[in-house]
């Protein structure tokens, strides 16, 4: 509850700090707003977790689309010393794009999706 109160006040230093790192407690809640946005607009998705042996960071891959799962975003995250997840970057590649779009937080990702997806 205190975490939500801090992040709702963007002028506070703690709110700015938390918004830049997008600290999340559980893996099931990762990018919950984006998943709810996709469900509400009729998109289906499939998620995978990738944990490379050599690299310290983990990857969360979510493929989505209406008829075909031809869009994807990849979340690169690691764990802090307290055990929380810290998202480093979000790479989005929509169908037909040559290069991925890189976002620092979920708010930027949602703003981009609202502009560029064909919503029903």
């Amino acid at each position: 509850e205190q975490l939500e109160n801090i992040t709702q006040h963007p002028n506070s230093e703690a709110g700015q700090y938390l918004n830049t790192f997008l600290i999340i407690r559980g893996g099931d809640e990762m990018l919950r707003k984006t998943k709810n946005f996709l469900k509400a607009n009729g998109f289906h998705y499939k998620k995978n977790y990738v944990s490379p042996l050599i690299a310290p960071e983990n990857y969360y891959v979510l493929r989505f689309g209406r008829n075909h799962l031809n869009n994807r975003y990849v979340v690169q995250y690691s764990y802090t010393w307290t055990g929380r997840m810290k998202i480093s970057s979000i790479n989005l590649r929509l169908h037909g794009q040559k290069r991925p779009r890189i976002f620092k937080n979920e708010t930027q990702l949602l703003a981009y999706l609202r502009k560029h997806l064909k919503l029903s």
Side-chain angles (χ1 to χ4, degrees):
E1 185 177 325
Q2 290 177 347
L3 180 66
E4 292 173 4
N5 291 337
I6 291 171
T7 57
Q8 289 175 358
H9 300 290
N11 295 333
S12 69
E13 286 183 343
Q16 290 174 352
Y17 176 77
L18 290 174
N19 286 333
T20 56
F21 287 113
L22 195 76
I23 297 173
I24 299 174
R25 290 182 185 212
D28 292 336
E29 293 184 12
M30 186 174 295
L31 299 176
R32 179 178 36 88
K33 291 179 187 176
T34 307
K35 289 180 195 174
N36 290 340
F37 171 78
L38 292 173
K39 284 180 193 175
N41 291 299
F43 288 93
H44 304 286
Y45 63 85
K46 180 182 175 184
K47 56 188 176 181
N48 294 330
Y49 292 94
V50 179
S51 178
L53 296 174
I54 298 173
E57 297 203 341
N58 299 320
Y59 296 92
Y60 172 80
V61 181
L62 191 131
R63 300 172 87 57
F64 65 95
R66 287 218 168 108
N67 299 324
H68 305 288
L69 302 178
N70 54 5
N71 306 306
R72 72 170 183 238
Y73 65 81
V74 179
V75 180
Q76 186 176 5
Y77 67 97
S78 61
Y79 291 96
T80 64
W81 63 275
T82 58
R84 291 188 176 186
M85 285 191 217
K86 182 178 88 172
I87 293 179
S88 306
S89 68
I90 302 171
N91 300 336
L92 172 72
R93 188 179 297 230
L94 297 177
H95 178 66
Q97 287 183 341
K98 301 293 180 188
R99 296 190 178 114
R101 306 300 189 259
I102 300 172
F103 304 99
K104 291 186 179 181
N105 57 33
E106 187 178 12
T107 308
Q108 293 176 350
L109 172 66
L110 278 173
Y112 185 84
L113 287 176
R114 283 190 181 107
K115 276 186 178 179
H116 291 86
L117 287 181
K118 295 178 182 175
L119 305 176
S120 55

